[in-house]
Amino acid sequence: MARAIHGQAPPHRWLQQMFRPVHPEELTEHEKIAYQHFLVRVQHFVPLKGLVGGLLTVLCLLSFPHNPWPAGIFLLDALLLLPYPRLARRWPALSTVVLLTASALAITAADRFAGRPTATTGALYALLIVTGAVLLVYPRHIALLAALISLTYLLPLLALSTSGAWPDGETLQTAGIHTLAFLGLGGITGILTRLYQRLLETRTHQDLLTTLLAGLQEITSDTDLPSRLQHIAERAARATAVAERALLLVEEGGRLIVRGCAGYAGVPLLGLSFPADCLKEHDRPVSIRDILGERRKNLPAETLAALDNLPPTQSSILVPLIGREGPLGLLILSSSRHPDAFDEDTRQRLSLFAQQAAIALENARLVDRLQESLKELEQKTQELQLRQEELRGLIAAISQRLQGPVEALSGFVRLLRDSAASRLAPEEREYLQRIERNSRWVEDLVRDMLFLSRIDVVNEEREPISLTTLVQGVSTHLQMERRGVTVNVQEGMPSFQADPVLFWHLFSNLLQNAVRLLPPDGRPRLDVRCDRLPGAFRIVVQIPGRELAPDERKGLFDLFPPEGKGRTDGLHLGLGIARRIAQRYRGQLWVESLPGEGTSLCLLLPEAVREDQE
């Protein structure tokens, strides 16, 4: 992570500078919280110290009724509390140290006028040191306060030494012990107070991180890519109180494009493009003017005027967005109020934000690409459906046009056979039979093509159908007995809820093509049965004595197979129609051929077809 201004700022520099006033509006979010905690402690300290000062005043009046000086000194010390809350808001450390040192002087002066040994008031001095440790957070301030109170404690001894009356050894030994105790107490309380403050800082960081992660969840939930990029810039600006403006530059085609900005009201920055290498670590704060450089000449006049009115940048930070496959872009946050606004805590927080924002950006890009792919797929699907509709209409139109001439041709061929067959030579009769057979095939083909063009658009009218009755009816219609084919139908086959017309065509095509697959020798027989499977029914039309080679099974269900496959073209078209009907009912149709068992046409239907009927 590149920083425009190097160095690490303490988390509470507002209290570090003792002789500089504090401006609350310039504090960072973390500093504002600590500053508010200090003011709360001041509010509790003022009445408590006023109460202690009042008690000391009363005790001095009772103890020394003929000497008003000790009581007057403590009363004056209590009155010094009146301006302290206001001074502490602007001069926190200085006013606190001065007030507590003045209290130590008051204790020393009262003790001097009362004529009591200074060692007896050591507890009050220690209390002042502890109070300073509670109010302040820097050990150097507490150490300074402890040194000043120790010096105040030693003032009577210094006054005696200058007057020529040197104190005895016991007094010096007691003063030395008390001074060391004061300094040690100041050091210990400083350390404990600092540890407690660190605990508060950790808790504050947790709260800020919780807020930050909540903002990232909001970014992640947004599915619109431009909106998500703008949210990333806005959340980055709000991730720390010192950042007033934020820019999000996204890497696109080897260039950095401004896709999100916050804090640049009225400045049209979105869409500005920069070379990918124009943003490097700077020796000074990076502003939008620094980024634009010579490119400012190409900007509109209103944009240049808005840029000139922007406040100067005193501190900025560059945060890269790194994805799984490399750099995705860059965040630039800037402040016009703080020369060193982005401390280590802020850098870590922004680093975490950048990691999550990079993930959100990658996900947004993936979602955007997926949506584009889905739109393209939907468009192609619609185009394919339109072409299918056109093809279906073309097939239907051709079939209808061919149906009349083909039926007429078949009728004339039958009329010619009945009237002139006896006068024709054997070879001519064979030619006539071929014409009749092919005309029937063309008639069936046209009829199947016309039905195929309507199979996907027909409105189903489902009703209960007995499978046993249906197969027997189709067998009778196809005149199986007249053709010498025995059809054995299993009794008690289940019923289904289906369209009678579609199921009639389904089993009619199955039986017709099963007859065409019968072996040329032997007694032709078809066995129809139904086997119940878990969640489905399998209907089998078995052709005993006939085995199909792999080449014969290949392409058996194609609507328009390559020329030369199978026995007749009508065989393939009929099985293709049967498979389309089975698929409409979420079923399957295939062929099995095992040595010694013959060939079977297998139809698998889900049990839900039967449940619909129930």
Side-chain angles (χ1 to χ4, degrees):
M1 184 185 302
R3 295 189 66 213
I5 300 294
H6 300 283
Q8 178 178 350
H12 295 296
R13 61 176 177 273
W14 63 274
L15 193 56
Q16 181 186 23
Q17 304 295 336
M18 176 177 288
F19 300 101
R20 291 183 183 178
V22 172
H23 300 282
E25 67 276 2
E26 296 182 357
L27 300 181
T28 66
E29 184 176 353
H30 184 54
E31 293 169 349
K32 285 181 179 179
I33 295 175
Y35 178 69
Q36 294 298 328
H37 288 170
F38 169 78
L39 295 181
V40 170
R41 293 194 296 272
V42 168
Q43 292 176 358
H44 289 85
F45 162 73
V46 170
L48 183 61
K49 188 177 185 302
L51 179 61
V52 173
L55 291 176
L56 290 175
T57 303
V58 173
L59 290 175
C60 288
L61 288 175
L62 295 177
S63 301
F64 311 103
H66 302 292
N67 188 0
W69 284 107
I73 292 173
F74 283 121
L75 180 60
L76 178 62
D77 178 59
L79 292 176
L80 291 177
L81 285 172
L82 295 177
Y84 172 68
R86 182 179 295 274
L87 294 174
R89 290 181 176 272
R90 184 56 62 93
W91 308 87
L94 181 61
S95 61
T96 303
V97 172
V98 169
L99 176 69
L100 297 180
T101 304
S103 297
L105 288 172
I107 295 172
T108 302
D111 185 62
R112 182 66 175 168
F113 279 106
R116 304 177 61 190
T118 57
T120 58
T121 56
L124 292 176
Y125 291 115
L127 182 61
L128 293 178
I129 295 174
V130 173
T131 302
V134 172
L135 290 172
L136 305 174
V137 295
Y138 273 95
R140 69 180 67 176
H141 296 159
I142 302 172
L144 176 61
L145 179 63
L148 291 175
I149 291 177
S150 300
L151 181 61
T152 303
Y153 170 77
L154 296 175
L155 281 178
L157 297 181
L158 295 176
L160 289 176
S161 63
T162 55
S163 63
W166 189 259
D168 56 15
E170 183 179 356
T171 302
L172 291 176
Q173 183 179 5
T174 302
I177 294 174
H178 279 76
T179 302
L180 293 177
F182 293 158
L183 296 176
L185 180 62
I188 294 174
T189 53
I191 293 174
L192 293 178
T193 306
R194 191 60 176 158
L195 291 176
Y196 175 72
Q197 188 63 30
R198 284 295 184 184
L199 179 62
L200 293 179
E201 293 174 7
T202 303
R203 186 173 301 173
T204 303
H205 285 165
Q206 291 177 351
D207 295 339
L208 292 174
L209 288 177
T210 301
T211 305
L212 186 62
L213 292 177
L216 288 171
Q217 291 178 356
E218 178 184 345
I219 294 173
T220 306
S221 61
D222 196 345
T223 57
D224 183 56
L225 182 57
S227 177
R228 180 175 293 192
L229 295 176
Q230 180 62 27
H231 281 171
I232 290 176
E234 294 173 355
R235 284 290 177 180
R238 285 184 287 178
T240 171
V242 296
E244 303 164 5
R245 299 181 296 275
L247 279 180
L248 174 62
L249 294 91
V250 179
E251 195 279 330
E252 297 178 8
R255 298 183 67 82
L256 291 172
I257 313 295
V258 179
R259 295 303 185 192
C261 61
Y264 294 95
V267 184
L269 299 177
L270 293 178
L272 287 180
S273 174
F274 311 100
D277 58 348
C278 73
L279 289 170
K280 299 179 181 179
E281 187 168 351
H282 290 250
D283 295 332
R284 56 192 177 89
V286 180
S287 66
I288 186 64
R289 301 184 186 90
D290 299 325
I291 299 173
L292 289 173
E294 296 296 328
R295 299 171 187 83
R296 298 185 64 196
K297 300 177 181 179
N298 302 325
L299 295 178
E302 58 273 13
T303 304
L304 290 175
L307 290 176
D308 292 336
N309 292 329
L310 289 177
T313 299
Q314 294 190 19
S315 181
S316 60
I317 186 170
L318 281 66
V319 189
L321 303 180
I322 308 298
R324 290 183 290 268
E325 298 179 357
L328 298 176
L330 191 67
L331 270 172
I332 302 177
L333 288 88
S334 58
S335 172
S336 60
R337 296 180 299 189
H338 302 282
D340 196 8
F342 302 100
D343 54 27
E344 186 64 27
D345 294 333
T346 305
R347 293 180 60 190
Q348 293 177 1
R349 204 180 316 151
L350 291 175
S351 177
L352 175 62
F353 177 87
Q355 294 175 10
Q356 300 300 323
I359 296 175
L361 179 57
E362 280 191 323
N363 293 339
R365 284 183 170 180
L366 291 176
V367 171
D368 193 57
R369 293 173 185 172
L370 179 60
Q371 290 177 347
E372 291 180 357
S373 300
L374 290 176
K375 289 181 181 178
E376 293 179 0
L377 180 60
E378 183 179 359
Q379 183 179 1
K380 292 181 179 179
T381 302
Q382 292 177 353
E383 294 176 357
L384 181 60
Q385 289 177 350
L386 291 176
R387 293 180 181 179
Q388 288 179 345
E389 292 291 339
E390 295 176 356
L391 181 60
R392 189 181 296 113
L394 179 63
I395 293 176
I398 294 176
S399 301
Q400 288 177 350
R401 295 292 182 88
L402 289 177
Q403 191 173 16
V406 169
E407 290 179 353
L409 176 61
S410 299
F412 282 121
V413 169
R414 287 193 295 270
L415 181 62
L416 181 62
R417 181 198 60 190
D418 295 339
S419 60
S422 58
R423 297 192 300 271
L424 297 177
E427 184 177 358
E428 293 173 339
R429 285 197 295 271
E430 182 181 355
Y431 292 156
L432 185 61
Q433 291 175 358
R434 290 183 180 180
I435 294 174
E436 183 180 9
R437 185 168 58 250
N438 283 279
S439 65
R440 285 199 304 268
W441 173 78
V442 172
E443 186 177 359
D444 293 341
L445 179 62
V446 171
R447 186 166 49 251
D448 288 342
M449 291 179 61
L450 186 60
F451 179 77
L452 181 64
S453 66
R454 299 172 178 173
I455 190 173
D456 292 329
V457 295
V458 65
N459 294 325
E460 293 186 48
E461 296 181 1
R462 297 195 178 192
E463 59 184 57
I465 299 175
S466 173
L467 193 56
T468 302
T469 304
L470 177 64
V471 175
Q472 291 175 348
V474 172
S475 177
T476 302
H477 176 74
L478 295 177
Q479 300 179 354
M480 292 295 187
E481 293 184 359
R482 182 179 175 183
R483 297 164 67 176
V485 179
T486 302
V487 180
N488 298 322
V489 182
Q490 177 184 345
E491 295 292 338
M493 289 196 295
S495 298
F496 296 95
Q497 188 81 7
D499 186 280
V501 176
L502 292 179
F503 259 55
W504 180 275
H505 278 279
L506 171 61
F507 284 94
S508 177
N509 281 305
L510 285 179
L511 294 181
Q512 278 185 334
N513 287 282
V515 170
R516 292 169 181 166
L517 290 174
L518 286 171
D521 52 349
R523 184 177 179 180
R525 187 181 92 249
L526 298 177
D527 297 328
V528 182
R529 72 177 189 274
C530 181
D531 302 328
R532 183 159 188 170
L533 302 176
F537 289 92
R538 184 176 63 180
I539 303 166
V540 180
V541 179
Q542 189 172 10
I543 310 167
R546 175 63 192 274
E547 298 177 7
L548 292 179
D551 292 341
E552 293 179 295
R553 296 197 300 268
K554 187 177 181 181
L556 193 63
F557 295 93
D558 294 343
L559 291 175
F560 301 99
E563 186 177 356
K565 288 184 177 289
R567 297 181 59 182
T568 63
D569 292 335
L571 172 70
H572 299 290
L573 189 59
L575 289 180
I577 293 175
R579 173 173 279 183
R580 293 285 291 274
I581 298 174
Q583 291 174 348
R584 182 161 182 170
Y585 285 88
R586 303 190 306 276
Q588 300 178 19
L589 180 63
W590 71 96
V591 63
E592 293 180 356
S593 186
L594 300 176
E597 297 183 8
T599 299
S600 298
L601 297 175
C602 302
L603 172 64
L604 185 68
L605 292 175
E607 193 170 4
V609 179
R610 174 173 167 79
E611 292 174 354
D612 291 340
Q613 185 268 335
E614 295 178 352

